[in-house]
PDB file of all heavy atoms in Angstrom:
ATOM      1  N   LEU A   1      -0.585 -12.075 -25.287  1.00 74.00           N
ATOM      2  CA  LEU A   1      -1.030 -11.536 -23.997  1.00 74.00           C
ATOM      3  C   LEU A   1      -0.169 -12.050 -22.859  1.00 74.00           C
ATOM      4  O   LEU A   1       0.169 -11.294 -21.923  1.00 74.00           O
ATOM      5  CB  LEU A   1      -2.490 -11.880 -23.727  1.00 74.00           C
ATOM      6  CG  LEU A   1      -3.514 -11.152 -24.602  1.00 74.00           C
ATOM      7  CD1 LEU A   1      -4.901 -11.690 -24.336  1.00 74.00           C
ATOM      8  CD2 LEU A   1      -3.462  -9.660 -24.362  1.00 74.00           C
ATOM      9  N   LYS A   2       0.290 -13.318 -22.936  1.00 77.00           N
ATOM     10  CA  LYS A   2       1.145 -13.849 -21.928  1.00 77.00           C
ATOM     11  C   LYS A   2       2.491 -13.112 -21.901  1.00 77.00           C
ATOM     12  O   LYS A   2       3.004 -12.773 -20.828  1.00 77.00           O
ATOM     13  CB  LYS A   2       1.407 -15.328 -22.214  1.00 77.00           C
ATOM     14  CG  LYS A   2       2.285 -16.027 -21.195  1.00 77.00           C
ATOM     15  CD  LYS A   2       2.461 -17.505 -21.534  1.00 77.00           C
ATOM     16  CE  LYS A   2       3.431 -18.134 -20.613  1.00 77.00           C
ATOM     17  NZ  LYS A   2       3.724 -19.537 -20.990  1.00 77.00           N
ATOM     18  N   ASN A   3       3.034 -12.785 -23.061  1.00 78.00           N
ATOM     19  CA  ASN A   3       4.279 -12.001 -23.148  1.00 78.00           C
ATOM     20  C   ASN A   3       4.117 -10.631 -22.559  1.00 78.00           C
ATOM     21  O   ASN A   3       4.971 -10.109 -21.851  1.00 78.00           O
ATOM     22  CB  ASN A   3       4.763 -11.898 -24.587  1.00 78.00           C
ATOM     23  CG  ASN A   3       5.262 -13.222 -25.126  1.00 78.00           C
ATOM     24  OD1 ASN A   3       5.640 -14.109 -24.366  1.00 78.00           O
ATOM     25  ND2 ASN A   3       5.262 -13.381 -26.420  1.00 78.00           N
ATOM     26  N   ILE A   4       2.972  -9.990 -22.813  1.00 79.00           N
ATOM     27  CA  ILE A   4       2.716  -8.659 -22.277  1.00 79.00           C
ATOM     28  C   ILE A   4       2.613  -8.720 -20.765  1.00 79.00           C
ATOM     29  O   ILE A   4       3.192  -7.882 -20.045  1.00 79.00           O
ATOM     30  CB  ILE A   4       1.425  -8.053 -22.894  1.00 79.00           C
ATOM     31  CG1 ILE A   4       1.643  -7.723 -24.353  1.00 79.00           C
ATOM     32  CG2 ILE A   4       0.973  -6.838 -22.124  1.00 79.00           C
ATOM     33  CD1 ILE A   4       0.422  -7.318 -25.085  1.00 79.00           C
ATOM     34  N   ILE A   5       1.922  -9.717 -20.248  1.00 80.00           N
ATOM     35  CA  ILE A   5       1.773  -9.830 -18.781  1.00 80.00           C
ATOM     36  C   ILE A   5       3.144 -10.118 -18.129  1.00 80.00           C
ATOM     37  O   ILE A   5       3.451  -9.576 -17.080  1.00 80.00           O
ATOM     38  CB  ILE A   5       0.764 -10.951 -18.449  1.00 80.00           C
ATOM     39  CG1 ILE A   5      -0.620 -10.445 -18.849  1.00 80.00           C
ATOM     40  CG2 ILE A   5       0.803 -11.290 -16.974  1.00 80.00           C
ATOM     41  CD1 ILE A   5      -1.696 -11.510 -18.778  1.00 80.00           C
ATOM     42  N   GLU A   6       3.989 -10.943 -18.785  1.00 81.00           N
ATOM     43  CA  GLU A   6       5.301 -11.197 -18.219  1.00 81.00           C
ATOM     44  C   GLU A   6       6.147  -9.915 -18.207  1.00 81.00           C
ATOM     45  O   GLU A   6       6.847  -9.641 -17.234  1.00 81.00           O
ATOM     46  CB  GLU A   6       6.003 -12.286 -19.040  1.00 81.00           C
ATOM     47  CG  GLU A   6       5.465 -13.665 -18.832  1.00 81.00           C
ATOM     48  CD  GLU A   6       6.104 -14.697 -19.761  1.00 81.00           C
ATOM     49  OE1 GLU A   6       6.976 -14.293 -20.563  1.00 81.00           O
ATOM     50  OE2 GLU A   6       5.740 -15.862 -19.674  1.00 81.00           O
ATOM     51  N   ASP A   7       6.074  -9.102 -19.283  1.00 81.00           N
ATOM     52  CA  ASP A   7       6.798  -7.848 -19.320  1.00 81.00           C
ATOM     53  C   ASP A   7       6.311  -6.908 -18.229  1.00 81.00           C
ATOM     54  O   ASP A   7       7.103  -6.211 -17.575  1.00 81.00           O
ATOM     55  CB  ASP A   7       6.675  -7.191 -20.663  1.00 81.00           C
ATOM     56  CG  ASP A   7       7.441  -7.941 -21.744  1.00 81.00           C
ATOM     57  OD1 ASP A   7       8.314  -8.756 -21.413  1.00 81.00           O
ATOM     58  OD2 ASP A   7       7.160  -7.688 -22.949  1.00 81.00           O
ATOM     59  N   LEU A   8       4.982  -6.858 -18.021  1.00 80.00           N
ATOM     60  CA  LEU A   8       4.449  -5.977 -16.973  1.00 80.00           C
ATOM     61  C   LEU A   8       4.889  -6.455 -15.594  1.00 80.00           C
ATOM     62  O   LEU A   8       5.219  -5.618 -14.743  1.00 80.00           O
ATOM     63  CB  LEU A   8       2.930  -5.968 -17.065  1.00 80.00           C
ATOM     64  CG  LEU A   8       2.341  -5.216 -18.253  1.00 80.00           C
ATOM     65  CD1 LEU A   8       0.817  -5.382 -18.273  1.00 80.00           C
ATOM     66  CD2 LEU A   8       2.719  -3.769 -18.275  1.00 80.00           C
ATOM     67  N   ASN A   9       4.941  -7.757 -15.374  1.00 78.00           N
ATOM     68  CA  ASN A   9       5.387  -8.286 -14.116  1.00 78.00           C
ATOM     69  C   ASN A   9       6.866  -7.914 -13.864  1.00 78.00           C
ATOM     70  O   ASN A   9       7.244  -7.517 -12.769  1.00 78.00           O
ATOM     71  CB  ASN A   9       5.220  -9.804 -14.014  1.00 78.00           C
ATOM     72  CG  ASN A   9       3.805 -10.201 -13.764  1.00 78.00           C
ATOM     73  OD1 ASN A   9       3.041  -9.402 -13.190  1.00 78.00           O
ATOM     74  ND2 ASN A   9       3.408 -11.379 -14.173  1.00 78.00           N
ATOM     75  N   LYS A  10       7.682  -8.017 -14.907  1.00 80.00           N
ATOM     76  CA  LYS A  10       9.103  -7.640 -14.766  1.00 80.00           C
ATOM     77  C   LYS A  10       9.233  -6.155 -14.438  1.00 80.00           C
ATOM     78  O   LYS A  10      10.002  -5.759 -13.576  1.00 80.00           O
ATOM     79  CB  LYS A  10       9.857  -7.950 -16.072  1.00 80.00           C
ATOM     80  CG  LYS A  10      10.094  -9.406 -16.300  1.00 80.00           C
ATOM     81  CD  LYS A  10      10.778  -9.642 -17.621  1.00 80.00           C
ATOM     82  CE  LYS A  10      10.839 -11.094 -17.966  1.00 80.00           C
ATOM     83  NZ  LYS A  10      11.388 -11.300 -19.326  1.00 80.00           N
ATOM     84  N   ASP A  11       8.455  -5.303 -15.132  1.00 79.00           N
ATOM     85  CA  ASP A  11       8.479  -3.869 -14.828  1.00 79.00           C
ATOM     86  C   ASP A  11       8.030  -3.567 -13.417  1.00 79.00           C
ATOM     87  O   ASP A  11       8.624  -2.779 -12.740  1.00 79.00           O
ATOM     88  CB  ASP A  11       7.580  -3.086 -15.840  1.00 79.00           C
ATOM     89  CG  ASP A  11       8.207  -2.971 -17.225  1.00 79.00           C
ATOM     90  OD1 ASP A  11       9.389  -3.261 -17.352  1.00 79.00           O
ATOM     91  OD2 ASP A  11       7.469  -2.631 -18.170  1.00 79.00           O
ATOM     92  N   PHE A  12       6.968  -4.268 -12.981  1.00 77.00           N
ATOM     93  CA  PHE A  12       6.484  -4.038 -11.629  1.00 77.00           C
ATOM     94  C   PHE A  12       7.529  -4.459 -10.600  1.00 77.00           C
ATOM     95  O   PHE A  12       7.768  -3.761  -9.629  1.00 77.00           O
ATOM     96  CB  PHE A  12       5.184  -4.802 -11.426  1.00 77.00           C
ATOM     97  CG  PHE A  12       4.602  -4.670 -10.032  1.00 77.00           C
ATOM     98  CD1 PHE A  12       4.035  -3.479  -9.663  1.00 77.00           C
ATOM     99  CD2 PHE A  12       4.694  -5.695  -9.128  1.00 77.00           C
ATOM    100  CE1 PHE A  12       3.518  -3.309  -8.377  1.00 77.00           C
ATOM    101  CE2 PHE A  12       4.185  -5.537  -7.852  1.00 77.00           C
ATOM    102  CZ  PHE A  12       3.591  -4.351  -7.483  1.00 77.00           C
ATOM    103  N   LEU A  13       8.120  -5.615 -10.808  1.00 77.00           N
ATOM    104  CA  LEU A  13       9.153  -6.094  -9.851  1.00 77.00           C
ATOM    105  C   LEU A  13      10.362  -5.166  -9.837  1.00 77.00           C
ATOM    106  O   LEU A  13      10.926  -4.913  -8.768  1.00 77.00           O
ATOM    107  CB  LEU A  13       9.581  -7.527 -10.188  1.00 77.00           C
ATOM    108  CG  LEU A  13       8.493  -8.590  -9.915  1.00 77.00           C
ATOM    109  CD1 LEU A  13       8.994  -9.958 -10.360  1.00 77.00           C
ATOM    110  CD2 LEU A  13       8.099  -8.602  -8.467  1.00 77.00           C
ATOM    111  N   SER A  14      10.742  -4.660 -10.994  1.00 79.00           N
ATOM    112  CA  SER A  14      11.893  -3.735 -11.030  1.00 79.00           C
ATOM    113  C   SER A  14      11.530  -2.432 -10.305  1.00 79.00           C
ATOM    114  O   SER A  14      12.318  -1.846  -9.576  1.00 79.00           O
ATOM    115  CB  SER A  14      12.352  -3.458 -12.430  1.00 79.00           C
ATOM    116  OG  SER A  14      11.367  -2.795 -13.149  1.00 79.00           O
ATOM    117  N   LEU A  15      10.273  -1.999 -10.450  1.00 75.00           N
ATOM    118  CA  LEU A  15       9.842  -0.802  -9.739  1.00 75.00           C
ATOM    119  C   LEU A  15       9.836  -1.000  -8.218  1.00 75.00           C
ATOM    120  O   LEU A  15      10.294  -0.157  -7.469  1.00 75.00           O
ATOM    121  CB  LEU A  15       8.445  -0.395 -10.192  1.00 75.00           C
ATOM    122  CG  LEU A  15       7.826   0.777  -9.441  1.00 75.00           C
ATOM    123  CD1 LEU A  15       8.580   2.049  -9.724  1.00 75.00           C
ATOM    124  CD2 LEU A  15       6.388   0.935  -9.752  1.00 75.00           C
ATOM    125  N   VAL A  16       9.359  -2.188  -7.807  1.00 72.00           N
ATOM    126  CA  VAL A  16       9.367  -2.496  -6.363  1.00 72.00           C
ATOM    127  C   VAL A  16      10.796  -2.508  -5.845  1.00 72.00           C
ATOM    128  O   VAL A  16      11.093  -1.966  -4.768  1.00 72.00           O
ATOM    129  CB  VAL A  16       8.642  -3.820  -6.099  1.00 72.00           C
ATOM    130  CG1 VAL A  16       8.876  -4.282  -4.672  1.00 72.00           C
ATOM    131  CG2 VAL A  16       7.158  -3.664  -6.342  1.00 72.00           C
ATOM    132  N   ASN A  17      11.698  -3.090  -6.609  1.00 74.00           N
ATOM    133  CA  ASN A  17      13.116  -3.097  -6.175  1.00 74.00           C
ATOM    134  C   ASN A  17      13.671  -1.683  -6.075  1.00 74.00           C
ATOM    135  O   ASN A  17      14.380  -1.368  -5.140  1.00 74.00           O
ATOM    136  CB  ASN A  17      13.953  -3.925  -7.172  1.00 74.00           C
ATOM    137  CG  ASN A  17      13.691  -5.397  -7.033  1.00 74.00           C
ATOM    138  OD1 ASN A  17      13.268  -5.872  -5.990  1.00 74.00           O
ATOM    139  ND2 ASN A  17      13.957  -6.157  -8.068  1.00 74.00           N
ATOM    140  N   ILE A  18      13.354  -0.833  -7.046  1.00 72.00           N
ATOM    141  CA  ILE A  18      13.835   0.539  -7.030  1.00 72.00           C
ATOM    142  C   ILE A  18      13.253   1.266  -5.809  1.00 72.00           C
ATOM    143  O   ILE A  18      13.950   1.969  -5.092  1.00 72.00           O
ATOM    144  CB  ILE A  18      13.450   1.262  -8.333  1.00 72.00           C
ATOM    145  CG1 ILE A  18      14.304   0.703  -9.471  1.00 72.00           C
ATOM    146  CG2 ILE A  18      13.654   2.769  -8.196  1.00 72.00           C
ATOM    147  CD1 ILE A  18      13.805   1.136 -10.835  1.00 72.00           C
ATOM    148  N   LEU A  19      11.952   1.094  -5.605  1.00 69.00           N
ATOM    149  CA  LEU A  19      11.307   1.825  -4.482  1.00 69.00           C
ATOM    150  C   LEU A  19      11.832   1.328  -3.163  1.00 69.00           C
ATOM    151  O   LEU A  19      12.056   2.120  -2.232  1.00 69.00           O
ATOM    152  CB  LEU A  19       9.787   1.633  -4.568  1.00 69.00           C
ATOM    153  CG  LEU A  19       9.103   2.360  -5.704  1.00 69.00           C
ATOM    154  CD1 LEU A  19       7.601   1.998  -5.710  1.00 69.00           C
ATOM    155  CD2 LEU A  19       9.296   3.858  -5.611  1.00 69.00           C
ATOM    156  N   THR A  20      12.070   0.060  -2.996  1.00 69.00           N
ATOM    157  CA  THR A  20      12.590  -0.451  -1.751  1.00 69.00           C
ATOM    158  C   THR A  20      14.055  -0.030  -1.534  1.00 69.00           C
ATOM    159  O   THR A  20      14.499   0.179  -0.395  1.00 69.00           O
ATOM    160  CB  THR A  20      12.483  -1.974  -1.643  1.00 69.00           C
ATOM    161  OG1 THR A  20      13.130  -2.563  -2.763  1.00 69.00           O
ATOM    162  CG2 THR A  20      11.056  -2.414  -1.545  1.00 69.00           C
ATOM    163  N   THR A  21      14.780   0.131  -2.635  1.00 71.00           N
ATOM    164  CA  THR A  21      16.169   0.564  -2.501  1.00 71.00           C
ATOM    165  C   THR A  21      16.265   2.011  -2.044  1.00 71.00           C
ATOM    166  O   THR A  21      17.073   2.322  -1.158  1.00 71.00           O
ATOM    167  CB  THR A  21      16.879   0.418  -3.877  1.00 71.00           C
ATOM    168  OG1 THR A  21      16.795  -0.952  -4.264  1.00 71.00           O
ATOM    169  CG2 THR A  21      18.350   0.817  -3.749  1.00 71.00           C
ATOM    170  N   TYR A  22      15.455   2.882  -2.598  1.00 66.00           N
ATOM    171  CA  TYR A  22      15.545   4.316  -2.321  1.00 66.00           C
ATOM    172  C   TYR A  22      14.593   4.795  -1.237  1.00 66.00           C
ATOM    173  O   TYR A  22      14.678   5.940  -0.813  1.00 66.00           O
ATOM    174  CB  TYR A  22      15.302   5.131  -3.590  1.00 66.00           C
ATOM    175  CG  TYR A  22      16.364   4.927  -4.601  1.00 66.00           C
ATOM    176  CD1 TYR A  22      16.116   4.236  -5.794  1.00 66.00           C
ATOM    177  CD2 TYR A  22      17.666   5.453  -4.432  1.00 66.00           C
ATOM    178  CE1 TYR A  22      17.088   4.061  -6.747  1.00 66.00           C
ATOM    179  CE2 TYR A  22      18.655   5.282  -5.348  1.00 66.00           C
ATOM    180  CZ  TYR A  22      18.355   4.592  -6.516  1.00 66.00           C
ATOM    181  OH  TYR A  22      19.315   4.413  -7.461  1.00 66.00           O
ATOM    182  N   SER A  23      13.666   3.957  -0.811  1.00 63.00           N
ATOM    183  CA  SER A  23      12.641   4.430   0.111  1.00 63.00           C
ATOM    184  C   SER A  23      13.150   4.358   1.557  1.00 63.00           C
ATOM    185  O   SER A  23      13.885   3.454   1.948  1.00 63.00           O
ATOM    186  CB  SER A  23      11.408   3.567  -0.064  1.00 63.00           C
ATOM    187  OG  SER A  23      10.429   4.006   0.842  1.00 63.00           O
ATOM    188  N   THR A  24      12.714   5.338   2.338  1.00 62.00           N
ATOM    189  CA  THR A  24      13.007   5.325   3.759  1.00 62.00           C
ATOM    190  C   THR A  24      11.881   4.659   4.520  1.00 62.00           C
ATOM    191  O   THR A  24      12.067   4.228   5.630  1.00 62.00           O
ATOM    192  CB  THR A  24      13.205   6.754   4.295  1.00 62.00           C
ATOM    193  OG1 THR A  24      12.051   7.539   4.012  1.00 62.00           O
ATOM    194  CG2 THR A  24      14.414   7.406   3.644  1.00 62.00           C
ATOM    195  N   GLN A  25      10.696   4.598   3.947  1.00 59.00           N
ATOM    196  CA  GLN A  25       9.543   3.957   4.544  1.00 59.00           C
ATOM    197  C   GLN A  25       9.420   2.533   3.992  1.00 59.00           C
ATOM    198  O   GLN A  25       9.660   2.351   2.826  1.00 59.00           O
ATOM    199  CB  GLN A  25       8.251   4.746   4.211  1.00 59.00           C
ATOM    200  CG  GLN A  25       8.272   6.153   4.708  1.00 59.00           C
ATOM    201  CD  GLN A  25       8.016   6.240   6.193  1.00 59.00           C
ATOM    202  OE1 GLN A  25       7.397   5.368   6.757  1.00 59.00           O
ATOM    203  NE2 GLN A  25       8.527   7.254   6.858  1.00 59.00           N
TER     204      GLN A  25
END
């Protein structure tokens, strides 16, 4: 479960990075 949560956190952080890179808002 710890590994799954770490993977989800990485995916979430990469999504936030992508959204902040491409977002105008």
Side-chain angles (χ1 to χ4, degrees):
L1 290 175
K2 182 180 175 185
N3 290 338
I4 290 172
I5 291 170
E6 287 175 0
D7 289 342
L8 290 175
N9 283 336
K10 288 177 189 174
D11 286 345
F12 179 74
L13 290 177
S14 66
L15 174 67
V16 169
N17 288 336
I18 290 167
L19 290 176
T20 55
T21 302
Y22 293 109
S23 180
T24 57
Q25 300 284 334

